[in-house]
């Protein structure tokens, strides 16, 4: 039988969530974000792309504006006002030194104790396959946390005024098949539903269901999936790396 999931540590004040695309955080993790911001914690979002390749039939130039606006609205609904984009190309992200530097810069600027990202592993579970963008971004985030604390890696960041930051204590990877911890979202489930539903254009291209119905159905299943390993509570699972 799989082991119980432990509660994610809560003795921190600032978090930075770094993912590849608009909507990545809303497929579950935003429920945890809502519970954190409600308790007074500060959470910022960093998107590696603007999701320009994410909507079939919509030209990238148009999709950029639509998806950025939807992401800002989705973040606002869970108490996040700081949303920034790195403008790497959607669909072809690679875990290059450039990407590591761009993420390390933001870690140094924002000085989080907790960094959140999405599953970097090859699959979501048996019989599934993760996308290249998710794998590349998650791997780059893990590496960039170390880079952010080393003054001899990317010394140009120091010249920009981004001094090394060694204060990241954990990296929490959402939706990992190796999840070990979880966050109770019993009280923030409705916020999570509204946050995912805010990606109206994106969800409408995926499904004939109304966005609100799709979001509720998906998150109802996703947040109950690990409840039997977390005291019967709705939860968002994370793989935790302690530094």
């Amino acid at each position: 039988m799989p082991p119980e999931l432990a509660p994610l540590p809560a003795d921190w004040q600032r978090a930075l969530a770094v993912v590849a695309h608009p909507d990545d955080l809303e497929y579950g993790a935003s429920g945890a974000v809502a519970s954190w911001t409600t308790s007074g914690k500060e959470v910022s979002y960093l998107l590696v792309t603007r999701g320009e390749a994410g909507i079939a039939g919509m030209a990238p130039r148009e999709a950029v504006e639509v998806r950025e606006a939807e992401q800002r609205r989705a973040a606002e609904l869970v108490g996040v006002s700081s949303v920034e984009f790195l403008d790497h190309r959607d669909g072809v992200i690679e875990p290059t030194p450039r990407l590591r530097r761009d993420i390390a810069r933001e870690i140094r600027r924002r000085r989080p104790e907790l960094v959140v990202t999405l599953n970097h592993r090859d699959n979501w579970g048996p019989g599934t396959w993760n996308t290249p963008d998710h794998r590349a971004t998650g791997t780059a985030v893990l590496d960039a946390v170390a880079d952010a604390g080393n003054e001899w890696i990317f010394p140009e960041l120091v010249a920009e005024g981004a001094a090394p930051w060694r204060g990241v204590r954990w990296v929490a990877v959402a939706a990992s098949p190796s999840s070990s911890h979880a966050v109770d979202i019993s009280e923030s489930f409705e916020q999570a539903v509204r946050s995912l539903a805010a990606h109206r254009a994106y969800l409408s291209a995926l499904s004939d269901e109304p966005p609100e119905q799709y979001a509720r159905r998906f998150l109802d299943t996703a947040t109950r999936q690990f409840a039997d390993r977390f005291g019967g509570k709705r939860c968002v699972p994370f793989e935790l790396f302690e530094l």
Side-chain angles (χ1 to χ4, degrees):
M1 184 172 178
E4 294 290 308
L5 297 173
L8 200 76
D11 55 331
W12 54 272
Q13 184 56 36
R14 290 185 308 279
L16 174 64
V18 187
V19 292
H21 316 105
D23 80 69
D24 282 353
L25 287 164
E26 283 67 49
Y27 274 93
S30 66
V33 172
S35 71
W36 294 332
T37 59
T38 298
S39 70
K41 298 183 186 301
E42 176 188 336
V43 183
S44 301
Y45 284 2
L46 180 66
L47 286 294
V48 171
T49 79
R50 294 181 189 264
E52 67 272 14
I55 300 181
M58 183 179 290
R61 190 180 312 159
E62 180 185 355
V64 162
E65 295 185 9
V66 170
R67 301 208 70 196
E68 179 178 340
E70 289 185 342
Q71 181 59 74
R72 292 189 187 282
R73 176 58 178 157
E76 180 184 349
L77 288 166
V78 293
V80 175
S81 59
S82 176
V83 181
E84 295 191 12
F85 299 83
L86 291 177
D87 282 330
H88 287 251
R89 281 186 59 205
D90 186 10
V92 292
I93 301 171
E94 296 183 74
T96 59
R98 177 188 164 218
L99 178 56
R100 287 167 46 195
R101 182 196 63 207
D102 290 349
I103 297 170
R105 178 189 289 111
E106 296 305 314
I107 293 172
R108 292 184 183 195
R109 283 182 55 215
R110 298 180 179 280
R111 303 167 77 83
E113 299 137 277
L114 172 70
V115 171
V116 177
T117 192
L118 190 65
N119 181 22
H120 63 295
R121 299 198 178 275
D122 287 343
N123 59 61
W124 304 98
T128 64
W129 187 247
N130 199 358
T131 71
D133 278 3
H134 296 149
R135 301 196 313 266
T137 298
T139 298
V141 169
L142 288 164
D143 292 337
V145 168
D147 297 336
N150 189 328
E151 68 267 37
W152 307 120
I153 299 176
F154 309 127
E156 64 272 25
L157 297 182
V158 177
E160 294 175 11
W165 171 247
R166 301 179 182 89
V168 177
R169 298 168 63 193
W170 305 278
V171 179
V173 180
S176 168
S178 301
S179 292
S180 54
H181 291 67
V183 174
D184 178 0
I185 67 158
S186 303
E187 300 299 320
S188 58
F189 176 74
E190 293 300 327
Q191 282 177 274
V193 170
R194 291 193 294 273
S195 186
L196 178 55
H199 293 277
R200 301 190 69 82
Y202 178 76
L203 296 182
S204 295
L206 286 182
S207 171
D208 292 333
E209 283 184 276
E212 293 80 3
Q213 182 176 318
Y214 174 98
R216 184 172 298 279
R217 176 180 57 79
F218 180 90
L219 291 174
D220 183 58
T221 299
T223 61
R224 292 182 186 278
Q225 183 178 357
F226 294 90
D228 61 344
R229 296 174 57 193
F230 198 60
K233 299 176 233 179
R234 285 188 186 274
C235 65
V236 175
F238 292 92
E239 180 179 3
L240 190 69
F241 293 87
E242 186 167 359
L243 307 179

